[in-house]
Amino acid sequence: MDQPEAFRSSTEARTAKARDLLQAALEDLSQEQLKRFRHKLRDAALDGRSIPWGRLERADAMDLAQQLIQFFGPEPALDVARKTLKRADARDVAAGLKEQQLQWFGPGPSALLSVSEYKRTFREHVLQQHAKVKERNARSVKINKRFTKLLIARESAALVDEAPGLAEELRPERARRSDTHTFNRLFGRDEEGQRPLTVVLQGPAGIGKTMAAKKILYDWAAGKLYHDQVDFAFFLPCRELLERPGPCSLARLVLDQCPHRSAPVRQMLARPERLLFILDGADELPPGPADAAPCTDPFEEADGARVLDGLMSKTLLPGARLLVTARATAPGRLQGRLCSPQCAEVRGFSDKDKKKYFHKFFRDERMAERAYRFVKENETLFALCFVPFVCWIVCTVLRQQLELHQDLSRTSKTTTSVYLLFITSVLSSAPAADGPQIQGELRKLGRLAREGTLRHRAQFPEKDLERLELRGSKVQTLFLSKKEVPGVLETEVTYQFMDQSFQEFFAALSYLLEDERALTAPADGVGALLRGDTELRGHLTLTTRFLFGLLNAERMRDIERHFGGVVSQRVKQDVLRWVQEQGQGCSRAAPEGTEETEALEGSEEPEEEEGELSYPLELLYCLYETQESAFVQQALRGWPELELERVRFSRMDLVVLSYCVRSCPAGQALRLVSCALVPPQEKKKKKSLIKRLHGSLGGSSSRGTTRKPQASPLHTLFEAMTDQHCGLHSLTLCSCRLPDSLCRDLSEALRDGPALRELGLLHNGLSEAGLRVLSEGLAWPQSRVQKLRVWQPSLQEAFQYLTGALRQSPALTTLELGDCRLSESVVTYLCAVLRYPGCRLQTLSLTSVELSEQSLKELQAVKVAKPGLVITHSTLDGHLRPPAGRGSAL
């Protein structure tokens, strides 16, 4: 409600209104609360003065309001009353009085200070508040010293409308290091000259999203970012807001971040286009009820979820800028709540920045270099270190091992094993005599973590620790940090894990530490973690990965050794059964020439959420964490076909995919549709002056110009296909734009793959050279490929290489060509090859190939000459053209 001008200028009116507000608030108190308020008010002093007890002892609500006004004056009386209500534990009443005071009396004395004058004060406050950040070990360090630049790439429209393919040279959006220029570009103009009002920074857990957001806030306060665009910026941690007791308004949240309680909040909020709100961890926001409307008024008291929903949906301060951080687990669900978001992917450390981080972490230069060299030689571990938090854990463990002169090879190659090694390293500092007690405490800590994870809670009040007998325990000191959270009336003490990912790790660990007999209800078992609503399980992704990783036989032995007890095999069996059940609910390959044909002929893409499309990749990450080939093989038996669609493969994605392919069961099919590669960050080596002069003078030798062909980014995948234990039966690459380097590596896999029987190459933009090397792989005597599908408009130019494979291939019996036109001369050559005695082809499908009348006659003649050869085309033998996707078999 707006304040009348007369009210502002009238002392009498202000006094009367203050008295009314005080009386209304005090009348809301119970008799016990009113008694407690009188006793607390006796000690309340302002400028050394307090109301004598004789005036308070028998006063009712009306008398108390009058005494407060007379003794302190109207507005100071309201401040004294609010503070006293806090001390009297009347939180709701104090909150209501505060809101009424703000609404009627405005922000107080500093209202005389203009917003333009307050900007400087606010910036200085932000600089002071965020100059330091806490390390996981609770040590505070300067943010400029702690922050290591990350790779950040804005999402390009090309990634949505058209897949860039697997060719690494196609780079629609290059990842940039997170300097002020990159941060400024987040809200830069797009191709149409429009600035986004909502930017989403997304990436996996521990990738550095929160740190990047805090650095953006700090750099803005330092005057380095959004110059002349943003007057005030606010950092809102979503999880804390969701767990905050009682309702709150956006105005109150803004006031909480101001240096004075009398900040000009109303004037600040009056120009939303000059505001920036940083919503950290927006993926924590649970789906709300369908009838719950988002907040629209910044002064409306509402629960945290409605306030956040209002900001994200732009019903609340629609002109304000939003910077949202979120895990990339269910981006489709999150983007449904946002209004026209511009997405940017946080890709973690480049190889160069990994080295910088190691040297920042280790103070000893020699120790830093030794640790870095060890990690770099462990290819998988080095890849994992692109995640800053994992990098911190690895450095922490390596420092302890180096200081104790331990074997560095203990450091393993999965996220789970790295976390487990870190936990056991921390526990090793405890005396051996405390072992049994700590083991019991760890079980209780796991129970606390699991309860919080399943219920979307990261902060635990003291009563939760007391209930589990953890308050003051050794594990509380080691793994929990104390935090003071502003409550409705007073600060509350809560505890949280040193990092959110540690809570998720202990939650997963609890399922293996828990005695089966203690699981009295189904909700306590692993099914509660795995079988929940998919939409609600986004925040459980990392916990699920950890659970899979802990099922490794060696990890289970480590758990028994360090945490005591015997780990039951039942959890492992339950998880395996769940994976197989998930596969049974997935769609199988489309029949040849039906749905897939229609999709390739230009039908619209299905409207599916990105999270759903990449779900099989998340499953593969879980299986990779187990590092047990036998388990992976059993699990994938429930997934006869794995389809990855519109995935931008990172280096770690390919490590995971390759491992699972190496372990897949016989009969496995893999389809990559419209996939792309995250461009590698390669540092170009500068030539020395002598070499550059030598080259410019034409002195380079012929030996220097002949280089060994570089392996393609998918080399590890194709190498896995040649493993003798790989059961991959069918591989389909669709709309992936295969470069020549990739074709070379695939050709070797076609030659040596023990189980590969079917290959599909559909609309991949193969070059003539690429098709030539693939044909050479098919023609090799060891090749076992029996069925080949090639759909490519420009097939005619390189058809001679394909027909060469038909003449020489020992196994190829089925060839399907599509979406192309073959000239009469090419068909004549094809017919000659089909008549060749050594050609083993039994089925030739030309369903969607354009052929002339002469070519049709030649194919008809081949059919007569070789009755055992089945040739499929819509017009052969005078048949009418069948419906799309169907042909006649001869």
Side-chain angles (χ1 to χ4, degrees):
M1 181 184 300
D2 292 330
Q3 303 166 30
E5 199 61 38
F7 172 77
R8 291 179 182 272
S9 59
S10 170
T11 303
E12 183 180 344
R14 294 173 74 86
T15 301
K17 190 62 187 179
R19 186 187 302 109
D20 291 343
L21 293 179
L22 286 169
Q23 182 174 339
L26 296 174
E27 286 176 347
D28 283 342
L29 299 177
S30 65
Q31 287 300 317
E32 183 62 32
Q33 286 176 318
L34 189 63
K35 180 180 178 181
R36 194 159 54 243
F37 177 82
R38 285 196 295 262
H39 281 276
K40 298 293 182 183
L41 185 59
R42 176 175 57 178
D43 302 323
L46 183 66
D47 297 329
R49 301 170 60 243
S50 58
I51 304 176
W53 175 243
R55 299 186 185 184
L56 300 175
E57 187 174 8
R58 298 185 182 280
D60 58 13
M62 182 184 298
D63 295 335
L64 287 171
Q66 185 64 32
Q67 292 293 338
L68 282 163
I69 294 293
Q70 288 180 353
F71 209 81
F72 297 115
E75 290 170 66
L78 293 169
D79 293 332
V80 170
R82 281 194 297 105
K83 293 176 182 177
T84 307
L85 286 167
K86 286 183 181 181
R87 295 172 56 214
D89 202 24
R91 302 182 177 189
D92 294 340
V93 178
L97 180 59
K98 178 181 176 182
E99 186 63 30
Q100 289 291 319
Q101 181 182 1
L102 183 64
Q103 182 173 343
W104 281 96
F105 291 86
S110 73
L112 300 174
L113 186 68
S114 70
V115 172
S116 59
E117 293 172 320
Y118 195 72
K119 284 190 293 186
R120 181 176 177 180
T121 303
F122 185 81
R123 282 179 183 268
E124 291 172 352
H125 176 69
V126 171
L127 279 175
Q128 183 180 3
Q129 291 292 309
H130 295 274
K132 290 187 176 182
V133 291
K134 277 193 175 183
E135 295 271 52
R136 270 83 183 189
N137 55 13
R139 182 171 61 98
S140 292
V141 295
K142 291 182 178 179
I143 190 170
N144 283 332
K145 183 179 179 181
R146 169 71 173 79
F147 183 73
T148 302
K149 292 179 180 178
L150 305 166
L151 294 175
I152 297 179
R154 285 177 64 184
E155 182 184 84
S156 169
L159 297 180
V160 179
D161 302 329
E162 186 177 2
L166 294 171
E168 57 185 291
E169 58 268 23
L170 295 173
R171 302 185 180 188
E173 179 62 54
R174 181 172 172 268
R176 299 173 185 270
R177 299 178 76 217
S178 51
D179 52 18
T180 52
H181 177 67
T182 303
F183 289 150
N184 266 317
R185 289 181 74 249
L186 291 176
F187 285 98
R189 298 187 185 277
D190 58 20
E191 296 83 356
E192 299 176 356
Q194 300 296 315
R195 289 187 188 275
L197 287 179
T198 301
V199 173
V200 181
L201 282 181
Q202 59 187 35
I207 199 71
K209 302 181 295 295
T210 298
M211 183 61 70
K214 288 184 176 181
K215 187 65 164 62
I216 287 172
L217 180 67
Y218 183 82
D219 284 352
W220 164 80
K224 298 178 182 179
L225 292 179
Y226 316 131
H227 184 62
D228 291 333
Q229 298 175 34
V230 175
D231 290 339
F232 298 95
F234 309 97
F235 188 89
L236 303 178
C238 294
R239 184 178 280 264
E240 289 185 16
L241 294 185
L242 293 172
E243 296 182 9
R244 181 172 176 144
C248 65
S249 65
L250 181 62
R252 188 193 303 178
L253 296 176
V254 166
L255 186 62
D256 287 343
Q257 299 200 19
C258 293
H260 311 108
R261 303 306 294 176
S262 53
V265 174
R266 188 176 294 275
Q267 293 91 322
M268 292 160 67
L269 296 178
R271 296 192 67 190
E273 71 279 1
R274 307 290 295 180
L275 304 179
L276 168 64
F277 292 93
I278 300 175
L279 309 185
D280 185 44
D283 52 296
E284 297 289 346
L285 194 60
D291 57 345
C295 188
T296 59
D297 180 359
F299 293 92
E300 177 189 353
E301 292 279 339
D303 60 78
R306 284 190 61 215
V307 173
L308 292 173
D309 251 338
L311 283 171
M312 292 167 64
S313 64
K314 293 295 183 184
T315 61
L316 183 60
L317 302 184
R321 298 170 189 241
L322 297 184
L323 178 66
V324 178
T325 75
R327 290 186 183 181
T329 49
R333 178 171 60 84
L334 177 63
Q335 290 189 22
R337 311 177 90 134
L338 296 169
C339 182
S340 304
Q342 165 69 55
C343 295
E345 182 184 2
V346 182
R347 296 180 183 168
F349 289 151
S350 67
D351 290 352
K352 178 181 177 181
D353 289 322
K354 290 176 192 174
K355 186 172 185 178
K356 281 189 175 183
Y357 186 90
F358 270 74
H359 284 268
K360 277 187 177 183
F361 184 91
F362 292 93
R363 297 179 181 177
D364 185 296
E365 196 71 19
R366 291 177 59 191
M367 188 181 288
E369 194 57 38
R370 186 181 172 192
Y372 178 75
R373 277 203 314 269
F374 165 76
V375 172
K376 191 170 184 182
E377 289 169 4
N378 185 332
E379 185 178 349
T380 309
L381 186 60
F382 188 64
L384 280 175
C385 283
F386 83 98
V387 178
F389 186 58
V390 173
C391 202
W392 177 80
I393 291 179
V394 169
C395 286
T396 303
V397 171
L398 289 178
R399 181 170 60 186
Q400 183 180 26
Q401 291 176 341
L402 287 169
E403 289 173 348
L404 298 176
H405 306 288
Q406 294 176 342
D407 182 11
L408 295 185
S409 62
R410 288 178 58 207
T411 308
S412 193
K413 59 181 180 179
T414 67
T415 307
T416 306
S417 55
V418 168
Y419 271 67
L420 185 60
L421 184 57
F422 175 82
I423 300 296
T424 55
S425 298
V426 171
L427 293 174
S428 66
S429 62
D434 295 341
Q437 178 184 344
I438 290 179
Q439 289 173 356
E441 291 176 355
L442 284 168
R443 282 180 163 77
K444 296 173 182 177
L445 185 68
R447 208 171 303 149
L448 179 73
R450 187 175 70 213
E451 290 175 3
T453 300
L454 293 177
R455 296 172 187 171
H456 246 288
R457 289 176 53 210
Q459 299 183 62
F460 304 95
E462 290 181 309
K463 64 181 181 181
D464 282 349
L465 272 68
E466 291 170 354
R467 171 173 55 86
L468 293 169
E469 300 176 341
L470 285 173
R471 189 175 180 189
S473 65
K474 183 72 174 178
V475 297
Q476 177 205 312
T477 307
L478 292 174
F479 300 111
L480 297 178
S481 59
K482 189 176 180 179
K483 187 169 185 177
E484 293 185 347
V485 179
V488 175
L489 287 174
E490 59 187 26
T491 301
E492 296 183 351
V493 176
T494 64
Y495 295 85
Q496 63 185 42
F497 285 81
M498 64 172 75
D499 187 85
Q500 179 62 29
S501 59
F502 276 114
Q503 178 179 334
E504 292 162 309
F505 178 84
F506 276 106
L509 183 62
S510 70
Y511 290 105
L512 285 87
L513 293 178
E514 198 74 78
D515 187 342
E516 287 185 24
R517 291 169 295 181
L519 301 176
T520 55
D524 297 326
V526 72
L529 174 68
L530 299 176
R531 293 184 172 85
D533 187 327
T534 304
E535 188 178 6
L536 301 177
R537 289 189 65 253
H539 70 292
L540 302 177
T541 300
L542 188 58
T543 308
T544 306
R545 278 196 201 180
F546 282 138
L547 177 63
F548 275 77
L550 293 171
L551 298 178
N552 172 278
E554 186 179 347
R555 298 290 85 75
M556 292 174 80
R557 287 193 292 271
D558 288 340
I559 292 170
E560 291 177 350
R561 182 167 64 253
H562 293 288
F563 302 106
V566 177
V567 176
S568 170
Q569 291 290 325
R570 177 180 169 182
V571 175
K572 195 169 188 176
Q573 295 165 1
D574 288 346
V575 170
L576 178 61
R577 190 179 307 113
W578 174 77
V579 176
Q580 293 174 336
E581 288 173 358
Q582 292 292 297
Q584 291 169 6
C586 287
S587 60
R588 297 293 182 261
E592 185 178 324
T594 54
E595 288 92 339
E596 183 176 68
T597 304
E598 294 170 9
L600 289 172
E601 287 178 349
S603 62
E604 294 184 2
E605 293 183 359
E607 294 183 1
E608 296 185 67
E609 289 189 358
E610 185 179 337
E612 294 175 357
L613 293 173
S614 60
Y615 173 74
L617 182 60
E618 178 55 40
L619 173 68
L620 297 184
Y621 263 95
C622 291
L623 296 177
Y624 171 80
E625 285 293 321
T626 67
Q627 288 295 298
E628 277 194 8
S629 296
F631 183 91
V632 174
Q633 192 173 82
Q634 281 185 285
L636 288 179
R637 285 202 177 101
W639 291 75
E641 180 182 71
L642 286 170
E643 179 173 324
L644 301 177
E645 184 175 352
R646 285 182 283 156
V647 175
R648 300 189 75 237
F649 288 111
S650 66
R651 182 193 303 182
M652 197 63 217
D653 292 340
L654 294 175
V655 169
V656 168
L657 178 60
S658 302
Y659 175 80
C660 293
V661 165
R662 192 183 300 272
S663 306
C664 70
Q668 184 74 54
L670 173 65
R671 290 169 50 84
L672 304 182
V673 181
S674 299
C675 291
L677 288 173
V678 172
Q681 298 296 317
E682 296 176 356
K683 181 180 178 181
K684 294 183 179 180
K685 295 183 179 179
K686 295 182 178 179
K687 292 182 180 180
S688 67
L689 178 61
I690 300 295
K691 287 185 177 179
R692 279 183 279 154
L693 288 172
H694 185 60
S696 65
L697 295 172
S700 58
S701 65
S702 59
R703 283 183 301 173
T705 58
T706 57
R707 297 179 181 176
K708 182 180 178 181
Q710 282 190 334
S712 73
L714 291 186
H715 174 74
T716 54
L717 172 63
F718 297 142
E719 188 178 47
M721 289 167 53
T722 64
D723 189 283
Q724 293 306 304
H725 297 98
C726 173
L728 188 66
H729 175 86
S730 172
L731 173 66
T732 301
L733 301 172
C734 177
S735 301
C736 290
R737 294 188 189 174
L738 309 181
D740 293 345
S741 61
L742 190 146
C743 291
R744 282 193 299 269
D745 289 337
L746 177 55
S747 179
E748 293 183 16
L750 298 180
R751 184 182 66 189
D752 301 326
L756 192 65
R757 297 294 184 271
E758 298 181 7
L759 175 66
L761 302 171
L762 313 177
H763 293 284
N764 292 302
L766 289 167
S767 69
E768 185 174 338
L771 194 57
R772 175 175 57 80
V773 295
L774 287 175
S775 299
E776 290 171 356
L778 290 166
W780 203 261
Q782 291 97 319
S783 175
R784 297 174 174 84
V785 176
Q786 298 172 351
K787 180 177 180 178
L788 174 65
R789 305 172 66 204
V790 182
W791 288 55
Q792 179 166 319
S794 60
L795 181 61
Q796 180 168 271
E797 288 76 4
F799 195 74
Q800 56 180 320
Y801 304 120
L802 200 56
T803 51
L806 290 177
R807 291 173 61 97
Q808 302 175 46
S809 173
L812 194 61
T813 59
T814 301
L815 174 64
E816 178 186 321
L817 306 177
D819 198 24
C820 64
R821 181 183 182 281
L822 298 181
S823 66
E824 292 182 357
S825 59
V826 168
V827 174
T828 299
Y829 181 59
L830 171 62
C831 290
V833 172
L834 293 174
R835 293 174 184 270
Y836 179 69
C839 177
R840 294 175 172 80
L841 201 67
Q842 299 173 9
T843 302
L844 174 64
S845 175
L846 304 169
T847 304
S848 61
V849 177
E850 291 184 33
L851 299 172
S852 68
E853 289 296 325
Q854 178 61 32
S855 296
L856 290 170
K857 290 178 182 178
E858 292 188 48
L859 287 169
Q860 183 68 44
V862 171
K863 188 255 178 198
V864 173
K866 294 186 72 171
L869 176 62
V870 177
I871 303 178
T872 304
H873 190 273
S874 57
T875 55
L876 279 174
D877 274 353
H879 284 236
L880 295 174
R881 185 176 183 86
R886 301 181 183 274
S888 58
L890 295 178

